[in-house]
């Protein structure tokens, strides 16, 4: 059995869930690629993370060097191919079967063979999502 050491995390969708997942991962010193198809949504999500981190400085939770490091860990992109080297990709895009199936089909082709894929879906069967890929054994449901 092979094991995957997670160093680079991809997040699909920079909305409410995706930006939170990306923020926590970047603060935990993982390198993070945050992908959204919508530039405006991506900019909003990235700006939101920055605001949250800056607020932490104002509240004395951490200092500005921590913010700089966390933001440095984060790469926002509208190019799905930028996820290709990720060890783990967490999908948090719009809750829509068609959209999610298409995302997983594309991810399956883009990311390396041993990468783990996870979905933050709140209502769609993970078995159905896994069937859109050729790596059902590497598919996780990631609910918060
Ligand atoms: N909001 C919650 O409290 C909550 C809780 C648990 C689970 N979830 C689940 O998390 C997921 C995301 O929810 P949310 O509330 O963050 O949604 P949201 O609407 O805030 O954000 C969705 C983002 O996905 C992006 N997107 C849409 N299609 C895309 C594609 N093909 N590729 C890349 N990005 C795409 C949109 O541009 C948007 O920025 C959903 O599956 C939802 O059911 C949400």
């Amino acid at each position: 059995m092979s094991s995957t050491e997670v160093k680079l995390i991809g997040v699909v969708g920079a909305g409410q869930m995706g930006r939170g997942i990306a923020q926590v991962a970047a603060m935990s010193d993982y390198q993070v690629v945050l992908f959204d198809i919508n530039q405006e949504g991506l900019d909003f999500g990235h700006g939101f993370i920055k605001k949250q981190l800056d607020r932490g400085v104002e509240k004395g939770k951490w200092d500005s060097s921590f913010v700089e490091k966390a933001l440095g860990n984060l790469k926002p992109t509208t190019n799905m191919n930028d996820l290709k080297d990720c060890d783990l990709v967490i999908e948090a895009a719009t809750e829509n079967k068609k959209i999610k199936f298409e995302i997983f089909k594309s991810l399956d082709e883009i990311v390396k063979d041993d990468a783990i894929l996870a979905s933050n879906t709140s209502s769609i069967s993970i078995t159905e999502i896994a069937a859109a890929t050729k790596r059902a054994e590497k598919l996780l449901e990631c609910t918060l």
Side-chain angles (χ1 to χ4, degrees):
M1 197 167 95
S2 66
S3 65
T4 302
E5 190 190 350
V6 175
K7 288 184 182 156
L8 181 62
I9 298 179
V11 179
V12 178
Q16 195 181 341
M17 297 305 290
R19 66 187 177 236
I21 294 165
Q23 180 184 333
V24 170
M27 287 171 69
S28 306
D29 218 14
Y30 287 98
Q31 297 295 307
V32 182
V33 179
L34 177 59
F35 161 68
D36 200 293
I37 37 156
N38 180 276
Q39 183 71 60
E40 215 176 303
L42 183 68
D43 292 344
F44 182 85
H46 190 230
F48 193 92
I49 292 171
K50 187 173 182 319
K51 262 190 226 151
Q52 291 289 104
L53 289 169
D54 287 342
R55 201 165 292 158
V57 177
E58 285 158 28
K59 289 184 174 174
K61 286 186 181 173
W62 45 68
D63 60 23
S64 52
S65 64
F66 178 78
V67 172
E68 208 176 306
K69 181 103 174 32
L71 289 174
N73 288 339
L74 195 59
K75 178 185 175 180
T77 181
T78 54
N79 182 354
M80 199 182 212
N81 286 317
D82 289 341
L83 296 168
K84 70 179 166 56
D85 295 323
C86 288
D87 306 301
L88 165 68
V89 180
I90 303 168
E91 173 275 319
T94 309
E95 186 74 359
N96 173 295
K97 263 192 184 183
K98 191 167 176 282
I99 290 175
K100 292 206 193 274
F101 290 174
E102 274 170 18
I103 288 172
F104 276 91
K105 204 163 174 279
S106 302
L107 284 176
D108 198 27
E109 283 163 19
I110 290 169
V111 302
K112 46 193 188 177
D113 288 347
D114 61 349
I116 297 164
L117 303 179
S119 177
N120 194 222
T121 181
S122 42
S123 66
I124 303 167
S125 152
I126 194 71
T127 313
E128 276 190 72
I129 292 175
T133 75
K134 295 184 203 81
R135 63 178 88 199
E137 77 291 353
K138 286 199 159 58
L139 242 293
L140 302 177
E141 189 164 4
C142 154
T143 47
L144 306 172

